[in-house]
Amino acid sequence: MARGYTLKRRAEQQAETRRKIVDAAVDLHGTVGPANTSLSMVAERAGVQRNTLYAHFPDLRSLQMACSAQSFERSPPPDAADWRGLADRAGRLRHGLRAIYRWYEANAELFGCVLRDAEHHALTREIAELRLGPVVAGWRETLGEGLSGSQQALLVLALDFHGWRALSRGAGIGPEAAADVMARAVEGADPGRPPASAA
């Protein structure tokens, strides 16, 4: 009985140590960015020895994977499946963009650092594409249904984090207002031009 308790307690301590390490890394990713975050910095922030960190995460890739998984678990991205039942295309677009922009706003500092570093840091780009790529593709498929080529081109801009941030910071408008602006822009683009795939 005592041995079972000891093993359980040890497993709990290891899980807690792992959580502290991931929390420290996510915090650094949202301030200095993943490209500038070293394992030594994470160990210091988490208050653990480097050999302890290596026992949980032998390299930066395994740590970044854990960080991105935790971030998505704590703040899940909007699910495009929730919008498919909305028959009105304009309403579906507006509803989807509002959900996406609220998610961007809630994670703005972290996403800003990660996506900035993804421009020049191969590992960060790989993991950002792995995590965000399928999500954005799902948004684009659902919200782009029935749109012309010009409208789909504007939808790409509407779904872009940097496009949202330019509206949010540059124009100083909230997620709902930004979504309405972009939805009107997409709907107002040349509706007569066929989608690129049909050309």
Side-chain angles (χ1 to χ4, degrees):
M1 190 72 172
R3 177 175 170 78
Y5 174 82
T6 301
L7 291 174
K8 181 181 177 184
R9 180 64 182 145
R10 184 176 300 161
E12 289 172 349
Q13 289 174 337
Q14 288 179 343
E16 175 63 15
T17 299
R18 180 184 173 88
R19 184 196 61 75
K20 284 170 54 179
I21 292 168
V22 174
D23 285 347
V26 170
D27 184 49
L28 286 164
H29 291 172
T31 51
V32 302
N36 296 312
T37 297
S38 68
L39 290 174
S40 295
M41 292 166 65
V42 174
E44 182 179 353
R45 178 71 62 96
V48 301
Q49 297 296 318
R50 285 188 59 172
N51 63 334
T52 300
L53 186 149
Y54 285 130
H56 290 274
F57 303 103
D59 52 38
L60 281 169
R61 189 181 191 283
S62 61
L63 180 56
Q64 282 203 29
M65 286 294 289
C67 291
S68 60
Q70 177 181 282
S71 297
F72 271 42
E73 182 181 329
R74 290 184 174 176
S75 180
D79 188 347
D82 296 339
W83 316 324
R84 292 195 185 111
L86 301 175
D88 175 54
R89 188 180 73 187
R92 182 171 65 239
L93 178 61
R94 188 168 282 104
H95 182 80
L97 288 177
R98 285 178 177 179
I100 292 164
Y101 290 174
R102 285 193 296 268
W103 187 62
Y104 283 166
E105 183 175 58
N107 298 280
E109 296 306 315
L110 177 61
F111 287 2
C113 289
V114 169
L115 294 176
R116 177 202 65 210
D117 287 0
E119 294 289 326
H120 62 86
H121 189 246
L123 175 60
T124 302
R125 181 168 56 253
E126 175 198 345
I127 293 174
E129 289 173 355
L130 178 69
R131 296 293 190 199
L132 272 175
V135 171
V136 176
W139 295 344
R140 194 172 166 191
E141 179 184 355
T142 298
L143 300 180
E145 185 178 346
L147 296 182
S148 72
S150 296
Q151 290 170 323
Q152 288 185 16
L154 269 174
L155 178 62
V156 171
L157 176 62
L159 295 177
D160 184 68
F161 171 82
H162 299 293
W164 162 77
R165 191 164 65 172
L167 279 174
S168 175
R169 293 188 178 177
I173 57 179
E176 282 73 21
D180 291 347
V181 166
M182 290 308 300
R184 284 196 300 270
V186 171
E187 285 291 324
D190 178 12
R193 183 178 167 193
S197 59

